Amino acid sequence: MSVLGFGLSIEPRLWALIFVMVRIGAAFIAAPVFSAVSIPVTVRVTLSGAVGVLVLAVHPVTPPAQVFGFATVLAVAAEALVGFAMGFILQIAFAAPMIASEVIGTSMGIGFASAIDPLNGRSTQALGQFFTMMLTLLFLAMNGHLLLVEMIVKSYDVLPVGAAWLTAAQLRDIAFFGGYIFMAGLLLALPVGFLLLCLNLVVGMLSRSAPALNLFAIGLPTSLAVGVVALALSFPAMGDYMMVIIDQGLAATRSLVLG
């Protein structure tokens, strides 16, 4: 009887933990750093369970009466949508350096240089991978991963379990925040991109004045040299703006779940 009683008391807690882990796990699947392909699924599930235990210690959650009922399926879908939206907003902010790398790499003539990105598992430009690594290091240095976990835990105050439906205004804000990546990417590439644009104008005028000049032997090395020097000079300012991008992403996530 004691064993049976223990089983009956632990089963609702286990279902509550699994129910809470849906939102946390969805956020970790979509959020940067946590969604890297180099992180095993076992580690993500373990982190979701650890954060879920903290959530249950602060917010008592009652599991649904019917585990496989239609209402439970809707509640699980709502929890997954909230968690995925929180991580997706940060993923939008992390896409800004990729746009900047496309602009700079095309202007420098190194758009063909690509490598496998260990974070997302697909081929990206080498310059974009470098920007993504720097943004990730700044994100970790600013304790962005801890702030994300804190926002996930606090989201249960505003969006409790079982009633965590996103409104149309919140979905609209997520869609509008998608336009931020283009503005942030262009602003991030502005110092180097403007200098390379001026260089291309000069090279274009030289090609009109001296048609016999071999532009491939002069223009490409010049663009590479000027681009590398411009990156070295402007990278401190670019690093400061990367911190602004991280702040904007965290602020958008906070406004989504905390109002």
Side-chain angles (χ1 to χ4, degrees), residues 26-85:
F28 286 166
I29 289 175
V33 179
F34 297 100
S35 62
V37 295
S38 58
I39 298 180
V41 179
T42 307
V43 176
R44 300 180 194 173
V45 174
T46 304
L47 289 176
S48 301
V51 178
V53 171
L54 297 178
V55 171
L56 290 178
V58 179
H59 305 279
V61 177
T62 302
Q66 297 181 354
V67 179
F68 300 101
F70 181 73
T72 305
V73 174
L74 290 179
V76 170
E79 291 292 313
L81 178 62
V82 172
F84 186 79

Side-chain angles (χ1 to χ4, degrees), residues 108-150:
M108 290 178 59
I110 58 173
F112 59 88
S114 61
I116 299 298
D117 190 354
L119 295 179
N120 50 35
R122 61 176 181 267
S123 178
T124 58
Q125 286 193 10
L127 188 60
Q129 185 175 350
F130 174 69
F131 283 170
T132 303
M133 291 175 61
M134 294 304 300
L135 189 65
T136 303
L137 292 176
L138 289 174
F139 180 77
L140 296 175
M142 296 172 61
N143 293 327
H145 57 299
L146 300 180
L147 294 176
L148 176 61
V149 174
E150 181 183 3

Side-chain angles (χ1 to χ4, degrees), residues 14-28 44-53 55-56 79-80 156 161:
L14 180 61
W15 281 115
L17 177 61
I18 295 176
F19 196 55
V20 168
M21 287 173 60
V22 173
R23 181 185 303 187
I24 304 170
F28 286 166
R44 300 180 194 173
V45 174
T46 304
L47 289 176
S48 301
V51 178
V53 171
V55 171
L56 290 178
E79 291 292 313
Y156 288 92
V161 176

